[in-house]
């Protein structure tokens, strides 16, 4: 399977948004073991019962990210890892595994922005910032769309081979505790659909169905 993931807790209210942590992972090996094409875009369509809330939470801007991670620590909403393979002609591929931070970029005109920050150490130290744009959609069961645009890595010679990310953040807002992500469970299941598009024009898509237990 190219994608996997889920959420916790799995016991959710039928009608009231419940704070949750949401995980999504991807794995993109090639069938013949050759260097995979570069990942260009990742689109995630989430269940219409998922809610996202970043109002009142600290924001980080791209310029702030590039200056250094510490400037954006208050804006962290999630963490994870990213595996990258860099292959130059007539050289052995370089395998890298880097920690990743998910940062809040704020909400404007119905679009929530998140930044995924990753730092690689080879072939030269570099900071990678992926921009994720999230908006509401109406596609049957799917109600939220997140589009991640992946930057070129090592001049186009680098490819994301796997990732594992979790968003899990609660914070105080107007005197109450709120969660960046919430879920409801009206019918016992939560759907997520993910599609990865690569530089060679190929794509991989999968729909994930996870069950949830209902409380009033």
């Amino acid at each position: 399977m190219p994608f996997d993931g889920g959420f916790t807790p799995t016991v959710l209210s039928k009608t009231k948004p419940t704070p949750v942590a949401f995980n999504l992972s991807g794995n993109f090996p090639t069938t013949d073991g050759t260097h995979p094409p570069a990942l260009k875009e990742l689109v995630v369509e989430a269940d219409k019962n998922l809610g996202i809330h970043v109002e009142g939470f600290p924001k980080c801007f791209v310029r702030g990210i590039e200056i250094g991670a510490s400037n954006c620590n208050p804006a962290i909403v999630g963490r994870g890892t990213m595996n990258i393979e860099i292959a130059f002609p007539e050289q052995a591929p370089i395998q890298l595994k880097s920690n990743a931070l998910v940062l809040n970029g704020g909400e404007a005109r119905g679009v929530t922005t998140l930044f995924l920050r990753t730092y690689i150490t080879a072939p030269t130290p570099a900071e990678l910032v992926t921009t994720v744009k999230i908006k509401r959609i109406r596609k049957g069961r799917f109600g939220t769309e997140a589009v991640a645009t992946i930057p070129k890595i090592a001049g186009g010679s680098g490819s994301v081979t796997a990732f594992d990310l979790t968003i899990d953040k609660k914070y105080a807002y107007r005197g109450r505790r709120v969660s960046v992500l919430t879920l409801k469970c009206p019918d016992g299941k939560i759907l997520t659909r993910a599609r990865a598009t690569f530089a060679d024009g190929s794509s991989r898509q999968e729909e994930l169905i996870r069950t949830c237990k209902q409380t009033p």
Side-chain angles (χ1 to χ4, degrees):
M1 296 193 306
F3 296 101
D4 200 0
F7 53 89
T8 55
T10 56
V11 178
L12 307 171
S13 170
K14 292 177 64 174
T15 58
K16 297 170 61 176
T18 303
V20 294
F22 183 83
N23 170 265
L24 182 68
S25 61
N27 189 24
F28 313 118
T30 54
T31 56
D32 58 1
T34 57
H35 177 65
L39 177 63
K40 288 186 62 178
E41 184 180 77
L42 178 66
V43 178
V44 180
E45 294 174 331
D47 197 287
K48 64 182 180 182
N49 292 294
L50 177 77
I52 183 168
H53 182 279
V54 296
E55 187 175 359
F57 193 75
K59 293 182 285 187
C60 186
F61 301 96
V62 171
R63 181 177 298 175
I65 299 172
E66 292 172 343
I67 292 172
S70 60
N71 294 332
C72 285
N73 281 349
I76 295 172
V77 297
R79 299 176 185 270
T81 58
M82 185 176 293
N83 292 13
I84 295 170
E85 181 177 287
I86 300 174
F88 296 112
E90 300 179 2
Q91 294 185 27
I94 302 170
Q95 306 290 342
L96 303 171
K97 184 174 184 178
S98 302
N99 292 327
L101 296 177
V102 185
L103 304 159
N104 174 40
E107 188 273 339
R109 296 182 292 278
V111 177
T112 299
T113 300
L114 300 179
F115 296 116
L116 174 61
R117 179 190 182 275
T118 308
Y119 188 81
I120 62 174
T121 57
T124 57
E127 194 168 51
L128 306 175
V129 179
T130 297
T131 301
V132 184
K133 297 290 185 178
I134 305 170
K135 65 179 181 180
R136 298 296 295 178
I137 59 172
R138 293 183 179 180
K139 289 187 179 181
R141 184 60 188 240
F142 302 101
T144 300
E145 179 187 71
V147 179
T149 304
I150 291 80
K152 283 188 177 182
I153 303 171
S157 297
S159 300
V160 175
T161 58
F163 69 87
D164 190 332
L165 300 170
T166 298
I167 294 178
D168 181 14
K169 189 65 182 181
K170 286 83 175 174
Y171 63 102
Y173 177 67
R174 293 183 177 177
R176 61 190 181 95
R177 294 289 291 175
V178 298
S179 177
V180 170
L181 296 179
T182 58
L183 270 176
K184 296 183 291 185
C185 180
D187 60 3
K189 62 182 179 181
I190 301 295
L191 275 64
T192 305
R193 184 163 59 196
R195 182 180 72 254
T197 303
F198 301 89
D200 65 351
S202 64
S203 63
R204 299 186 187 184
Q205 179 171 307
E206 187 168 4
E207 185 173 298
L208 304 175
I209 302 175
R210 298 292 182 261
T211 59
C212 52
K213 296 182 180 180
Q214 300 165 309
T215 62

